[in-house]
Every structure is written in C-alpha cells, then in structure tokens.
Amino acid sequence: MFAGLPELGISNGEDLKETLTNCTEPLKAIDQFQSALPFLDLHGTPRLEFHQSVFDELREKLMERVATIAEGKDEDRYVKLEELLEKSFPLVKMPSIQPIVMQVLKHLPKVPEKKLKQVMADKELYKVCAVEVKRQIWQDNQALFGDEVSPLLKQYIVEKEAALFSSDLSILHNFFSPSPKTRRQGEVVLKLTQMIGKNVKLYDMVLQFLRTLFLRTRNVHYCTLRAELLMSLHDLDISEICSVDPCHKFSWCLDACIREKFVDAKRARELQGFLDGVKKGQEQVLGDLSMILCDPFACNTLVLSTVRNLQELLSQDALPRDSPDLLLLLRMLSLGQGAWDMIDSQVFKEPRMDLEVVTRFLPAMMSIVVDDYTFTVEQKLPSEEKTSLTYPTTLPETFSRYLYQENRVACEIGLYYVLIIAKQRNKNALQRLLPALVDTYNDMAFGDIFLHLLTGHLTLLSDEFGSEEFCNAVFDNFLLTSFSSKENVHRHCLRLLNHLHQKVLASYMETLMKTLEPPKQSSESVKELYTLLKEKLEASKKSPPEPEEAPSLDLGLHPVTVPSTPSTPTTPL
C-alpha cells in the first residue's frame, strides 16, 4: 500500500522498523520519525482531524476498489471479495469500517450463508445493509419479506382510496386521468420494483401477496398494482422476470390500450390471440390474466370501447351480435369481472358469456339511445312539424332487470352509459336513468369508483341543481336511498355539495343539510366534510358570490348520429 514512498523521500514502515531495531534510544527515534507532525500544529490542524481525513480518504479508495473488482472480468474477482469479507467482517460493528464491509457484501452475488444469518440476526446491521444483500435474505425468508412489503401495500391502497375521495371534482382530472407511465412513477411501485430487482422468486412472492390480499378484501386496487408492477419491470427492461411471466405480452398490449383509452381493431386481435393461445395444462395463467383485466383502469378502457362500439353499430344499423370486436370486449370484461371467483375457486376456466347480454340487454340499451336521439331531433323541428312526442320516463324492463340481476358485465356497461349521458349534459336522460341505479348487482352503483366519476360528471350540469326536479332525481331518487347505510355514499354526497352548494336550490339545500348531518358514530372524514360545507354556506350568506361564467370545455363528446366516416375513440371518462 505504501510502495514508492522512499523514492519520494518519505519514510515508510520499513524505515521505522529498521530505526527502532538499531537505535539505542527508541523515544528519540520515534520523536525524530514524527518530526513532520509539528507542522500540523503550526497550521492549527488537530492531529485527530488529520488522521481522520487520511482514514476517510483510504476508506473511499478501498470502497472504489471493491466496486472496480466486482465490475471487472477477472474469474477470481469474487474469491478476492470473499477473502476481504473474511478479514473485515469481524469489524462490521465498528462505524468507521462498517461501510467497507457493506460495500463488499453488496457486490457479492452470493453472500456466504453464515454471514447472511449474522446480518439478519442483528437489527442494526440488517437496517443498514444494501437492498442487494436484503434480496438474498428475503428470498429464503418469506415472512420477513412480507413484513417489509406489507406497509407498502397498505400505503398503496390508502393512496388509491384517497384519490377516489379527492375534494377536486372535475371531469378533466379524475381517478383515471394519469397515464399508465405516470402511475408507475408512484413511490410504492418504484420501491417494490427496487426491492424485487431481477429476482424472480421475490417477484413471485409479491404476486402471491397480491392474490391473497385480493381474495381476502376483494379490493380491485391490488389488481392495478399487479399490472403496474409488471409494466414497471418492463420499463426497466428486466428480461429475467418479463420473459418468464406469461402475462407480459398481454399486459404490454393492454397497457397501450389503457394509454389510448381505447381498444382498436388491431390490438383487439392481438389480445384475442393471447387469450386463445392459453395452452392446455397452463390454464392457471387465466387467473393472473383475469386479475390484470379486473384492474379498474383496464375495465374503464374496455367499457369505454364497448359503448363506443355500440354507437358505431347504431350508426350502421347493425346489431351487437354482428360485431366480433364487441364480443371480444365482452369476453375480456367477463374474464375480469370473474377474477375473484376464479382465484377463489381455483377453477381456471373462462366464465361462460351470457348470450342474453348480447341479444337482449345491449339492444335494450340501444333502444334507450334511439329514444333519446328521436326526442332530440323532434325538439329541433320547426313548430309546425312537431308531434306530441313526450320524453319517455320509463326504461325497457330488460335493461333494468340486467342492472340488478347477477350480471356484472351488463351492470358495468349500464353504469358507464349513465356517465356518458352526464358528459353530454343530457338532463332528461339522466333523470330517467338514475332511479334505475338504486337496485344494481352487488350495489355496484354505490361503489366508490362509479360515484367518484359520477360526481365529477355532474359538475357539468351544475346549473340544473337550481331545479327541484333535478335535485330529486340525483339525491332523493338515487344517492339518499342508501347514504344512511353506506358511509362512502354519505361522503360522496358531501363532496358533491361542497363543490356546487351555491348552485343548489336554497330551500332544497336546507333540507339536505338536515338529512346529511352526520350521526355520532360517523367517521372523522364525514364530520369534517359536513363542517366544511356548513362553513361555506354561512360564508356565502354573508357575501353572495358573483355569477360564474360556465366553462367552455371541448370534451370530444360523441352524440349518437350517423357519421359518414369512422370516428375516433371517445374522450376518457
């Protein structure tokens, strides 16, 4: 380490050894050898500081050397590192030496088992060791890995649910607005990706955690995380994992559709190819594919594409059964909606599609669209050409029945149609449809995702809340039918009113405030929202607001007409 010093006229260890061996007065010899140290005193530099700086410099050089050896191509590079580890590990508890030991551990692809156990047994050492070392510990200690991952999974769910109850109500900035790439930059996804690295065993463990939690809670956000994690590893080009996950290419294709918020014909064929390509004996893949399709972002894209497809069929005077693309979308929706049942039962078979959804429910929904279109055209006719046509108030029995019967796919499509009606600011159709949502399969209409979207869409109809008839349709005939038994509905009601309380008819608002007053057992979130609303109402009484101009929003809406050319995908909900 000190070779070359004598050539520079600097004494080294050999000089000191020879001097002390041959001298008659060792103390004088040592004093003479240290003759350079008084210069430090002249400069006011404490000797400890000098020695510490030399030590720090040497330590940094050694750590750099360890990294250089590990990145080199010498066949015996890991043997050298293991030798260094043997010499340095006894000093691992010494703070000044610990970074060197940790650097050696980090660069060893296979740390000796004995050393791993020592690190794992010491909380302080475990805490400071690099993630590369922890991966080697985790892969054989699922419980310990679970303890590390669990807080991250909880954080992920809390963040997703917080987004659904955001105080910002907007059609342009909602739960589904962030692109897939943006979502994958979230803290939890990045941390999990780093923890997994290229370790297939750890990746499989995380997937197993997600399946177990999805089964236990039915929370669909775990399905989102399953897809985001795979695509995050795809972004980093971790072929060690992507090449062995049979869902990779399917997820990659679906991810592109989610980014565009539309499944075009080319990608539809690719997705169908993946589904049809599941070989005999590999049916278990369907469990993971169903989870990926159960992701709300995937479901959002599939239903939007379904409704878009129906609009095009109407313009062509065609029936749902005539569209292979539509049938594929329904197949994927059915597989996604059946994810929980499939994983729970461990029967990996695509659910049989209810043909009546295609032959009865969708035509009934199309008839509602036609009713609406006919009435709209009628209203635009010159007065002498108008008939006594009134807007229909009832719905086809088949449509209503499929909303509350055990058909999740039909219910999902029906709910999204309501959102599209709201986006088109179609008050009449909304008043006709909302009461039908009181009875939906598994109370899907009172789920947080739908209510989050609906409240955002209702901001487009804010002026209509000045009408008691419209308020009755939204509140009395829909939201208030379940708010007392479902606290999440209570919260969404208060979110909506906090946003547009100034538009609601004053007398109606007074009644709503009495109805929505939280009972004592309510959560703090509900109480805080109610208090905030109360304060806003009191403030607005003192200073009446200036009239607002309605925002001009180009939402890319697609009313049902007969286009001469194929139209583009709808704007995201």
Side-chain angles (χ1 to χ4, degrees), residues 79-227:
V79 175
K80 289 178 182 175
L81 292 181
E82 283 186 23
E83 287 173 359
L84 181 55
L85 181 65
E86 281 300 321
K87 291 174 183 174
S88 60
F89 198 83
L91 302 173
V92 71
K93 299 288 280 182
M94 190 183 290
S96 54
I97 301 294
Q98 193 178 79
I100 298 168
V101 184
M102 290 303 167
Q103 180 80 334
V104 178
L105 287 169
K106 174 183 173 180
H107 283 95
L108 275 174
K110 187 159 179 56
V111 176
E113 187 67 24
K114 186 181 174 184
K115 299 290 187 291
L116 278 182
K117 284 181 177 174
Q118 285 177 265
V119 171
M120 187 171 69
D122 189 312
K123 285 183 181 178
E124 291 303 314
L125 284 183
Y126 174 77
K127 190 177 177 182
V128 297
C129 73
V131 70
E132 289 85 352
V133 183
K134 286 181 178 174
R135 284 186 202 126
Q136 296 184 50
I137 294 171
W138 292 331
Q139 68 177 8
D140 296 316
N141 292 273
Q142 185 167 341
L144 182 60
F145 186 50
D147 291 342
E148 292 272 359
V149 168
S150 183
L152 289 173
L153 302 185
K154 284 178 188 170
Q155 180 187 338
Y156 185 85
I157 298 301
V158 167
E159 287 171 1
K160 288 290 181 195
E161 290 176 349
L164 289 172
F165 287 105
S166 164
S167 57
D168 180 26
L169 269 69
S170 166
I171 190 170
L172 297 177
H173 303 287
N174 61 37
F175 183 74
F176 291 115
S177 297
S179 70
K181 202 105 176 183
T182 302
R183 287 188 282 118
R184 294 198 286 273
Q185 297 308 306
E187 182 187 1
V188 172
V189 177
L190 290 178
K191 276 189 179 177
L192 285 173
T193 305
Q194 186 196 26
M195 288 168 79
I196 291 166
K198 298 178 180 182
N199 194 308
V200 176
K201 199 170 177 183
L202 294 180
Y203 176 67
D204 284 340
M205 278 190 211
V206 174
L207 295 194
Q208 193 52 48
F209 295 151
L210 293 175
R211 290 185 201 106
T212 304
L213 288 165
F214 176 51
L215 272 183
R216 193 182 300 162
T217 65
R218 288 184 181 258
N219 193 317
V220 291
H221 301 311
Y222 290 116
C223 299
T224 306
L225 184 52
R226 194 262 181 259

Side-chain angles (χ1 to χ4, degrees), residues 383-438:
S383 53
E384 63 272 11
E385 294 180 33
K386 283 185 182 178
T387 63
S388 57
L389 184 70
T390 56
Y391 194 86
T393 53
T394 57
L395 292 165
E397 186 271 335
T398 309
F399 180 83
S400 302
R401 179 160 51 85
Y402 266 89
L403 286 185
Y404 63 78
Q405 267 194 347
E406 236 180 84
N407 196 291
R408 289 171 282 205
V409 173
C411 190
E412 195 78 50
I413 296 168
L415 292 178
Y416 267 73
Y417 178 62
V418 172
L419 295 174
I420 286 171
I421 285 300
K423 180 185 275 190
Q424 293 174 350
R425 296 179 169 91
N426 190 329
K427 179 187 75 169
N428 289 328
L430 204 56
Q431 289 177 175
R432 180 188 184 190
L433 285 160
L434 282 175
L437 304 188
V438 173

Side-chain angles (χ1 to χ4, degrees), residues 279-309:
K279 294 172 185 171
K280 198 170 183 182
Q282 296 181 337
E283 291 88 355
Q284 200 163 346
V285 173
L286 286 172
D288 270 352
L289 288 176
S290 69
M291 256 187 101
I292 288 165
L293 288 166
C294 188
D295 164 22
F297 289 85
C299 187
N300 177 61
T301 303
L302 294 172
V303 184
L304 278 173
S305 302
T306 300
V307 177
R308 184 82 195 115
N309 201 293

Side-chain angles (χ1 to χ4, degrees), residues 501-502 533-545:
H501 60 89
Q502 292 171 336
L533 179 57
K534 205 171 180 180
E535 287 168 0
K536 284 183 178 180
L537 288 169
E538 285 167 5
S540 64
K541 282 176 189 173
K542 292 173 187 173
S543 54

